[in-house]
Amino acid sequence: MMSIGVEDRLGAYLKARRTRLDPAALGFATQRRRTAGLRREEVAQRANISVTWYTWLEQGRGGAPSADVLDRIARALMLTDIEREHLFLLGLGRPPEVRYRAAEGVSPRLQRLLDALEFSPAIIKTATWDIVAWNRAAVAVLTDYGALPPDQRNVLRLMFGQSQVRAAQHDWESVARFVVGAFRADAARAGALSEVRQLVEELCRTSPEFEALWRENDVGAHGGGTKRLRHPTLGMLELEYSSFALEERPDLGMIVYNPVSPADAALIRTLMTEQKSAT
């Protein structure tokens, strides 16, 4: 059986993507077309590269393209993020550099997912740790994010600027160190270090503790673990947390907190029932 080389796979992928585009929708004439989609010269025109070079790519000739060329072709073929990533893997053997995009809220479907976790606090945060969605359990157990101005719904600002959030942590120093390290790693992974510069400078001015931790340059992962909270009404709570990447929204991540024991779960359930009855 004949094996298919990397160049052949790249060429086949490019051809498959261009044949799915509508020439008329992109301003090209539709007369005298023997095949569906765009012609090679039309893709090259949209990508601002030579027809010869693009033809060689489809034919598996000419060597590896540059990242800039692949980016131009991705835009020309109107590829989605996952399709663009696949293009880079075929062409260069690596994913593209991360392009950070600020979040613009969540879809109703994601909000319904949060709301379905009735007694498990859950939040959705950006790579810069701005909290953009939460459920009722998060309001009852963690923080009433809806009562805060949008620019204050940030984990770092809450951890280092809100005395009640600090008081709720069982071991604030360890939690703060963990948060700073995981935040640094998330921002770098998302290509958002320039976007967080203003926040970091602000926190360095207002919190000597944050400044000291930031200068240590530690990084960490935010996968999962156990969190102990001093709740003002319920007392000490123990919660297991897990972090989830959202494949449909790579700019966002979800964190779910589950009560460790039946007693913790009962406390949260009782509190939320009382709050619901009071409204």
Side-chain angles (χ1 to χ4, degrees), residues 223-237:
T226 303
K227 184 177 187 66
R228 301 186 70 193
L229 283 175
R230 296 187 186 92
H231 192 274
T233 303
L234 305 178
M236 189 64 72
L237 290 174

Side-chain angles (χ1 to χ4, degrees), residues 257-269:
Y257 298 86
N258 283 314
V260 168
S261 69
D264 290 319
L267 287 172
I268 295 173
R269 187 177 295 108

Side-chain angles (χ1 to χ4, degrees), residues 24-234:
L26 297 174
F28 295 107
T30 57
Q31 294 86 356
R32 299 186 215 175
R33 289 182 181 266
R34 292 177 293 177
T35 58
L38 297 187
R39 299 185 176 109
R40 287 172 176 167
E41 57 267 28
E42 291 166 342
V43 175
Q45 177 184 331
R46 284 175 53 81
N48 195 27
I49 59 177
S50 75
V51 177
T52 300
W53 177 230
Y54 181 77
T55 301
W56 284 354
L57 289 179
E58 279 204 9
Q59 293 176 344
R61 299 189 291 158
S66 67
D68 178 61
V69 165
L70 289 182
D71 253 333
R72 294 185 188 188
I73 293 174
R75 288 193 295 270
L77 295 175
M78 303 178 69
L79 300 186
T80 65
D81 285 344
I82 190 65
E83 289 171 340
R84 174 175 174 266
E85 179 181 273
H86 189 66
L87 177 67
F88 269 72
L89 290 172
L90 291 177
L92 294 177
R94 62 167 176 81
E97 293 184 6
V98 183
R99 298 183 302 185
Y100 175 72
R101 294 183 304 175
E104 298 177 355
V106 301
S107 66
R109 184 166 61 81
L110 280 177
Q111 185 61 57
R112 287 193 294 270
L113 174 62
L114 292 180
D115 295 338
L117 302 167
E118 190 173 4
F119 301 114
S120 295
I123 62 172
I124 292 179
K125 66 175 183 60
T126 68
T128 57
W129 288 42
D130 291 317
I131 297 169
V132 294
W134 55 90
N135 61 5
R136 285 186 59 246
V139 173
V141 175
L142 302 176
T143 299
D144 185 357
Y145 302 106
L148 299 173
D151 66 336
Q152 294 301 310
R153 299 171 192 163
N154 178 275
V155 175
L156 277 295
R157 283 195 173 102
L158 292 171
M159 183 65 62
F160 290 92
Q162 293 284 340
S163 58
Q164 57 268 45
V165 173
R166 177 170 182 153
Q169 310 307 312
H170 173 66
D171 182 353
W172 183 86
E173 288 78 8
S174 295
V175 174
R177 182 178 300 278
F178 166 78
V179 163
V180 172
F183 167 77
R184 183 193 295 274
D186 275 2
R189 188 181 301 114
L193 288 177
S194 61
E195 281 75 14
V196 303
R197 183 177 295 116
Q198 183 176 350
L199 172 62
V200 169
E201 291 175 352
E202 169 198 323
L203 291 173
C204 284
R205 290 194 305 270
T206 59
S207 172
E209 293 157 313
F210 174 84
E211 182 180 25
L213 291 173
W214 187 255
R215 292 188 185 283
E216 290 181 8
N217 275 298
D218 287 341
V219 295
H222 193 258
T226 303
K227 184 177 187 66
R228 301 186 70 193
L229 283 175
R230 296 187 186 92
H231 192 274
T233 303
L234 305 178

Side-chain angles (χ1 to χ4, degrees), residues 244-256:
F244 302 93
L246 301 174
E247 186 170 346
E248 64 188 271
R249 290 288 302 273
D251 53 322
L252 301 178
M254 181 170 67
I255 306 174
V256 179

